[in-house]
């Protein structure tokens, strides 16, 4: 195999597809002023209150610096509240009423983008991909 060729690289190809899908979702979300990469944060905060930054980082599988970059605009827009200080375990995250409203208002945009992508992939293939991703993540986390 040519190590300089990216056409067979799983990482390159998954990241490439992910960027295109992210652009599709962002186009739908644009009028809401929120990026698709920020919605897992809002959804996690809506599902459970009292996350520390360290817990959120671990749950999302996201570096803390990346998480912080995504938290700042959400805080600035009044969608989340960050309290405490110091290291990540002492910083508490919570969603505001404005954040809850934003999730509700974004739902049709999310459904539209989700439907576009799943239609292209096909329901059966999408279901298989989800299962495969779960198995890969579990296996790689064990190593």
């Amino acid at each position: 195999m040519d190590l300089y060729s990216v056409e067979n690289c799983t990482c390159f190809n998954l990241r490439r597809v992910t960027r295109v899908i992210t652009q599709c979702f962002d186009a739908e979300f644009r009028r809401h002023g929120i990026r698709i990469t920020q919605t897992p944060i809002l959804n996690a905060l809506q599902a459970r209150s009292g996350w520390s930054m360290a817990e959120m980082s671990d749950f999302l599988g996201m570096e803390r610096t990346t998480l912080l970059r995504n938290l700042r605009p959400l805080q600035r827009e009044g969608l989340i509240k960050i309290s405490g200080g110091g290291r990540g375990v002492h910083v508490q995250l919570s969603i505001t009423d404005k954040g809850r409203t934003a999730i509700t208002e974004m739902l049709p945009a999310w459904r539209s983008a989700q439907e576009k992508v799943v239609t292209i992939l096909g329901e059966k293939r999408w279901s298989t991909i989800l299962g495969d991703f779960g198995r890969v993540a579990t296996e790689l986390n064990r190593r």
Side-chain angles (χ1 to χ4, degrees):
M1 179 178 148
D2 179 2
L3 294 178
Y4 295 105
S5 173
V6 294
E7 65 192 26
N8 291 315
C9 177
T10 54
C11 187
F12 169 79
N13 283 288
L14 286 172
R15 290 179 63 90
R16 181 173 162 229
V17 169
T18 300
R19 283 190 293 270
V20 172
I21 292 172
T22 298
Q23 290 167 4
C24 171
F25 275 81
D26 278 343
E28 292 286 340
F29 279 48
R30 190 165 288 126
R31 65 189 149 94
H32 298 286
I34 295 173
R35 302 204 50 170
I36 186 62
T37 53
Q38 296 167 323
T39 59
I41 296 167
L42 290 173
N43 286 324
L45 290 171
Q46 180 169 301
R48 183 183 128 201
S49 61
W51 289 86
S52 72
M53 190 142 56
E55 290 171 326
M56 178 72 69
S57 174
D58 290 344
F59 175 75
L60 295 173
M62 190 182 285
E63 294 288 330
R64 289 186 189 159
T65 55
T66 304
L67 176 59
L68 189 56
R69 275 195 311 275
N70 282 284
L71 290 171
R72 284 187 179 138
L74 295 173
Q75 181 185 29
R76 194 170 42 248
E77 294 298 319
L79 303 175
I80 66 165
K81 182 180 175 189
I82 301 174
S83 54
R87 300 191 46 77
V89 290
H90 301 293
V91 176
Q92 294 296 307
L93 307 171
S94 58
I95 192 167
T96 64
D97 289 339
K98 185 177 179 182
R100 285 184 181 82
T101 300
I103 290 173
T104 301
E105 291 173 352
M106 290 182 313
L107 191 56
W110 178 86
R111 284 187 179 130
S112 176
Q114 180 77 3
E115 185 178 300
K116 285 177 189 176
V117 174
V118 172
T119 297
I120 291 167
L121 290 171
E123 290 277 346
K124 186 174 180 181
R125 186 188 298 162
W126 174 236
S127 180
T128 300
I129 289 169
L130 278 177
D132 290 346
F133 282 171
R135 282 189 294 282
V136 169
T138 299
E139 185 62 32
L140 290 175
N141 282 329
R142 279 191 223 162
R143 294 178 184 201

